Amino acid sequence: MILAHGIGARADLPISPVALAWGATVALVISFGALGAMWREPRLATEAAGRPAPAWADRLVRWSVWPARVVALLLYGETLGAALFGSRFDVLNLSPFMIFVGLWVMVPMIQAVLGDIWSDVNPLDQLAVVAERLGDRLGIRRDRSFSHWPAVVTISGFLWLELAYHSPSQPRILGWLMVLYTAIVVGPAVVWGRNWSRRADGFAVYFGLVAHIAPLFRSGGRLHLRRPFSGLGRVEIRPGTTALLLVTLGGTTFDGFSRTSIWRKLVVERAGWGVTAVNTLGAAWVIGMVALIYLYASRRARRHLQTDLRPEDVFASSLIPIALGYGIAHYFSLAVFEGQNLLIRLSDPYGSGIDLFGTSGWKVNFLLVSTATIAWVQVGAIVFGHLAAVVAAHDRALEVSADVDDATRSQHAMLGVMVAYTITGLFLLLGA
Amino acid sequence: MTRFPRLLRALMGVAALALLAVACGDSTTDTTSPTTASNRASSSTTTAAVVSTTEGRTAPHSHHDPIEVPEGTPVPTLRVEVLEDPKSGYNLRLDTTNFTFAPEHVSTDPVPGEGHAHLYIDGEKITRLYGPWYNLPELTPGTHEIRVELSNNNHAPVAHNGRIIEDTAIVEVPGADDGSTSATEAATVDYEFSVEFADGDVVGGVSRHKVDLGSTVKLTITSDVADEAHLHVYDQMVDLEPGVPAELVFRADIPGVVEIELEGLGKPLMEFEIR
């Protein structure tokens, strides 16, 4: 993303054709290898049960939850305050860095390693607890359950702001949208409790899905360990979950696409809402294509399977590593470079010249990681995401099919989609 | 878990207080972005002591909220120049349009188009300026940032579109024992590009150029509108007058793809692929 005034203005170099060829080859080999060589009994769901982590680790996590909650609430307040009252100039304001870099880019990367920390510290969830209690006191609580469709709506709204709207980093706009988002997620919790907020908070839902990749998770209140990626065998898919993953994946794809010269020629002659309109159509089109390919393939795969699940939900978990791989490929350098700006802004959130933590005088070091490292991280993330997706889909197919042959047959179509996604992702890294 | 809400309320109180505390520091609208490395900005200079003007880009700070130039009133402009005094030291010259120095009305109600200016050296407020000329105090050897803000009679900065009207000049005061460095720094230019902006578009479209890491690039920009060209990441600026070619020189020492754009219009001019 390039936000106004050039937050994230440094774009990555196009990857070399050699790296592209390597990535594509590895992806194809993995895919065909998977058809023959993989296990013949479902394994992930069993692996996902994991084993208890050592007691000290469990205690460490227990003790750090409260301080982490406090910090998260303070950061939320600081971000909202900066957005509403700080400098109107985006690069001097904490809020765009916190929202687009800290929240949207860095949190999923952390979740993929450390597990679903967000569900513990999410400031909106903390506010929802208060709302819930308020509802109890007023006697208007009516618990009911919800699908993930509200989350699809809220995350789509965010992606529209990030990818389509012409002035996404304007602090005041961010401030009011933060208020609106909070109201949507927290407000109805007075009546419907956290059942609502947990299904309406698109960030929390997406971050929670990504956390299935991590080797750490909590079960029965205790910290557990499991093989990385095995959590993909136990993803709870609700109505809307698949849509949320497709929207996120499509959004990131559009972000890559919008950097190509083709797209930029379309946008360059427009300004203001004209840009917004073109980007909105483009994002909807790309998300639509990504979703269509997936829906088509999952319907074909379904013919070989015995399950009551809707076809698109069967393989939804395999979209998680692909979405994360895309995210890392597109935003790794942003996290490294603009992440430094985030630290700088934390010391001076309002752009008023104060220096809370002694970092406000820092300068971004654009040489922190080399361009070669960035390129290999990009290709690696996409290829590795592809590998994990293939494995997860294969395992799912075994779970819901009568025999290995059916499972393998069902995978032809799914492999087609994944190869399509992966090659697209790699080509977008050419960026030209 | 029963104490949860009470604790939480206490926490929110803390959060709110922290927020307020920070908010007080607040909200001058400012033009600023992280400091420009303007010593790189110009290789047009050959002698040691000089002066490249860039738009103001450091920490702001007056204690008043800026006042916007009212709709329909001509917008004042300001250019700061630092000239070497033939004998010793430096003289400051302010070139203003649509602005009258009115020391006789200072500290009274603001009147659009009149007022005075505030001088900051290296971020520190030095004095009020009641006219276009000022003799700068002795400057220590090294790089100094001379910033001037236009100010209303009541000392509130003059702003247009949320940006304070200000300008900054960088002065390199030669040290006792350095004479050599700056003179040799007038680097050779490795690449020269030019770009023309006319009728709302870049003539011939936005082009991308491959540039070797570490080389020096000179870009000549001609525009039919007054604006400011901004080279992202390197954070260098150059003011554009309609029809007057402006030069921007930078050392391509950060790898990646960067863009130079018309800051006001938000239109890209050219891209560099630096590796």
Side-chain angles (χ1 to χ4, degrees), chain B residues 18 20 25 32-33 36-37 46 48 67 70 107 119 127 132-133 143 153 155 159 211 247:
Chain B
L20 265 178
T32 50
S33 81
T36 334
T46 42
I67 299 178
S107 301
L119 168 67
T127 183
W133 287 94
T143 308
N153 289 337
H155 306 291
V211 162
E247 272 179 17

Side-chain angles (χ1 to χ4, degrees), chain B residues 80-262:
Chain B
V80 172
E81 245 184 304
V82 177
L83 307 159
E84 210 170 341
D85 187 284
K87 271 206 169 130
S88 72
Y90 298 86
N91 293 313
L92 181 68
R93 192 172 83 91
L94 309 184
D95 188 4
T96 55
T97 63
N98 304 326
F99 189 80
T100 317
F101 285 96
E104 66 277 15
H105 295 152
V106 77
S107 301
T108 61
D109 287 340
V111 176
E114 71 167 43
H116 55 279
H118 288 168
L119 168 67
Y120 297 80
I121 297 182
D122 299 327
E124 201 181 319
K125 185 171 172 189
I126 304 297
T127 183
R128 291 178 198 166
L129 300 173
Y130 284 160
W133 287 94
Y134 184 74
N135 177 248
L136 288 175
E138 286 243 276
L139 295 169
T140 53
T143 308
H144 294 283
E145 186 212 41
I146 315 290
R147 188 165 58 87
V148 177
E149 265 180 31
L150 287 189
S151 179
N152 284 289
N153 289 337
N154 68 345
H155 306 291
V158 181
H160 180 56
N161 289 338
R163 294 181 154 216
I164 294 174
I165 295 171
E166 56 168 11
D167 198 10
T168 302
I170 304 294
V171 184
E172 309 256 13
V173 179
D177 54 348
D178 92 290
S180 60
T181 45
S182 314
T184 50
E185 211 125 79
T188 50
V189 172
D190 301 301
Y191 297 91
E192 283 197 51
F193 302 110
S194 62
V195 60
E196 195 188 338
F197 188 85
D199 305 324
D201 259 317
V202 176
V203 177
V206 178
S207 54
R208 183 188 269 204
H209 300 280
K210 292 190 181 181
V211 162
D212 286 332
L213 192 65
S215 53
T216 304
V217 181
K218 183 164 122 182
L219 178 63
T220 310
I221 307 155
T222 318
S223 161
D224 62 353
V225 288
D227 203 321
E228 189 184 22
H230 180 195
L231 178 67
H232 286 297
V233 178
Y234 290 78
D235 222 4
Q236 281 182 216
M237 307 274 188
V238 59
D239 284 329
L240 303 175
E241 304 283 343
V244 183
E247 272 179 17
L248 187 142
V249 178
F250 69 101
R251 234 178 91 81
D253 48 12
I254 300 170
V257 177
V258 297
E259 180 181 272
I260 182 161
E261 72 163 1
L262 287 181

Side-chain angles (χ1 to χ4, degrees), chain A residues 85 87 89 92 130 264 268, chain B residues 8 26 30 32 257 259 267:
Chain A
F85 309 113
S87 171
F89 199 50
L92 283 185
V130 179
R264 301 181 54 145
V268 79
Chain B
L8 203 78
D26 174 65
D30 27 50
T32 50
V257 177
E259 180 181 272
K267 293 270 187 190

